[in-house]
Amino acid sequence: MSKRLFHNLHSCFNQQIRYMHRICGNAPTIARSLNDRLRELNYRDPEIHFKVDIGLPIVYNKELRGEKVNEVKKKNSALHAKLDLRVAKNDWLKTTAPLEIRKIAEHYGIFNDLFGDAYFHPTIPLTIDYNVKDMVAKVSRGNFITARDTLNEPTIKYRAEPNTLWSLLLTTPDGNLSKSNLEICHWFIGNIPGDSIEKGDLMLNYMRPIPPRGIGYCRYIFILYKQDKRIDFSEYRKSPHEQHFCLVDRNWNTLDFYRKHQDYITPVGLSFFQTEWDASLIDFYHNVLEMRSPSFEYDFPKPYIKPQVWFPVKQPFNIYMDKYRDTKDIQKQYFMKKLKTIHPFKEDKGRPKYPNAIPYKRDEYIPSWLKLEMKKERLSQGRYREVFS
């Protein structure tokens, strides 16, 4: 009897060990970590996939950087020390900015999509501003700007000597509707004398970003080239008219453009932003491009919704209730909200400059879920983005 009991316990223990081994896998000292697996998946042979620097050499002033770091440390040691952000930014542009901007561009896949196996360090800082009524939308390094704010061409500033020549391009590798392997050139000015962009040769007039609906964020990239001599870019001028918006004529390939003129141009400046579709593009697609506004939709499987309970704990009240409502009723609710803000004979007052700075009513109690909903409505986030755009 004891032998049989011992045999059953031994077999159960072996089964448990095998079950645990199957669930847990190898021991931590033997199994590969996530970094090891990613390193193996992303491995590229350096003899084949090497990168070529096609830009100007950077001069990294370590002494200047060290002096600034020591100066900041001394200021921080004081109790009420203040740091001037403008001075700090100028010091950054003179020291490590080209290296860090290159890393950011590599993170966003700028060099891979435009130059293939080549890269460059942006040694010339670009200041790009979109003027929108009483405010300015700045282009930096991958920040988000709404499509309605990019209607007009921006103002661009950079430092250059008057006896030099430059070329400026605005292109996007995302959202080409005719050929997915090509880009769309939104702006091209060549033979710019110094920093006088208005005196350059306009090859392609400025066309506002046109991200299609449903594909998410699209990258729009400004590239500044330095020219060694005056170049004839007339082959890129598709129409003698200043306003030309044919999308097929704007198909572009940055790598082919650089290979053709690589003996006389060098990329030195880089800045880019991201944007996505909004309702302001409908009029541009219909009346300017004379085409239907493209829209892409994902066919998601129906989500699993667990049975409803009486008292849902730690779940947002409004979001929880929307799961069990008809989607048509939800859309009707937001549509009726939009109709209340529209007058058939009066102009739209527009949104305030700082909508989230408007205080709430202190006399009334507002629950947290309702405050969050009001905040989204003010900032046109979530469902309100399409309703109030």
Side-chain angles (χ1 to χ4, degrees), residues 352-375:
K353 186 176 181 180
Y354 303 105
N356 208 29
I358 302 174
Y360 298 100
K361 295 181 180 179
R362 296 183 179 181
D363 299 337
E364 299 180 3
Y365 168 73
I366 303 177
S368 59
W369 67 269
L370 184 56
K371 276 189 177 181
L372 180 60
E373 196 71 15
M374 294 169 65
K375 180 180 178 181

Side-chain angles (χ1 to χ4, degrees), residues 169-194:
L169 282 105
L170 171 60
T171 180
T172 174
D174 307 320
N176 193 314
L177 301 175
S178 58
K179 293 184 179 180
S180 58
N181 60 334
L182 294 179
E183 310 158 27
I184 300 178
C185 183
H186 285 259
W187 203 14
F188 182 14
I189 305 176
N191 299 316
I192 302 173

Side-chain angles (χ1 to χ4, degrees), residues 61 65 90 101 143 195-196 268 270:
N61 194 339
R65 183 62 177 173
N90 292 332
I101 294 175
N143 60 316
D195 57 354
S196 302
V268 293
L270 175 67

Side-chain angles (χ1 to χ4, degrees), residues 106-282:
E106 287 179 343
H107 173 75
Y108 282 94
I110 301 298
F111 297 125
N112 288 334
D113 294 339
L114 298 188
F115 296 95
D117 293 329
Y119 69 93
F120 67 93
H121 293 96
T123 56
I124 303 297
L126 293 175
T127 303
I128 305 174
D129 299 331
Y130 280 99
N131 298 316
V132 186
K133 293 183 180 180
D134 56 344
M135 60 182 295
V136 175
K138 290 185 173 293
V139 179
S140 55
R141 293 160 292 276
N143 60 316
F144 177 80
I145 300 177
T146 60
R148 66 170 56 87
D149 293 342
T150 60
L151 175 61
N152 301 317
E153 63 183 51
T155 58
I156 301 179
K157 298 179 181 179
Y158 58 91
R159 292 184 179 181
E161 297 179 359
N163 57 348
T164 55
L165 292 174
W166 309 79
S167 294
L168 177 69
L169 282 105
L170 171 60
T171 180
T172 174
D174 307 320
N176 193 314
L177 301 175
S178 58
K179 293 184 179 180
S180 58
N181 60 334
L182 294 179
E183 310 158 27
I184 300 178
C185 183
H186 285 259
W187 203 14
F188 182 14
I189 305 176
N191 299 316
I192 302 173
D195 57 354
S196 302
I197 297 180
E198 66 280 358
K199 297 180 181 179
D201 298 335
L202 182 62
M203 298 296 110
L204 286 173
N205 60 292
Y206 176 80
M207 182 178 72
R208 63 176 299 182
I210 52 170
R213 183 178 185 177
I215 67 172
Y217 291 168
C218 294
R219 301 160 294 174
Y220 290 85
I221 308 160
F222 292 89
I223 302 178
L224 182 68
Y225 296 91
K226 185 176 183 181
Q227 300 178 201
D228 295 338
K229 67 172 187 178
R230 190 174 187 86
I231 303 175
D232 183 13
F233 292 123
S234 58
E235 60 178 305
Y236 301 104
R237 185 185 283 114
K238 303 298 182 181
S239 174
H241 305 287
E242 292 185 359
Q243 301 295 327
H244 183 68
F245 297 103
C246 180
L247 294 183
V248 178
D249 293 341
R250 288 179 176 265
N251 286 338
W252 190 261
N253 191 304
T254 299
L255 185 57
D256 292 344
F257 171 77
Y258 174 75
R259 282 174 175 172
K260 187 171 184 178
H261 305 284
Q262 61 181 337
D263 295 335
Y264 308 107
I265 64 173
T266 304
V268 293
L270 175 67
S271 187
F272 64 99
F273 67 96
Q274 301 180 85
T275 187
E276 64 177 351
W277 183 92
D278 61 26
S280 66
L281 289 170
I282 297 177

Side-chain angles (χ1 to χ4, degrees), residues 25-45:
N26 296 329
T29 56
I30 303 175
R32 293 178 300 169
S33 64
L34 178 60
N35 291 331
D36 295 336
R37 295 185 179 183
L38 292 175
R39 195 179 300 112
E40 182 180 348
L41 290 173
N42 300 327
Y43 174 76
R44 290 190 174 186
D45 191 348

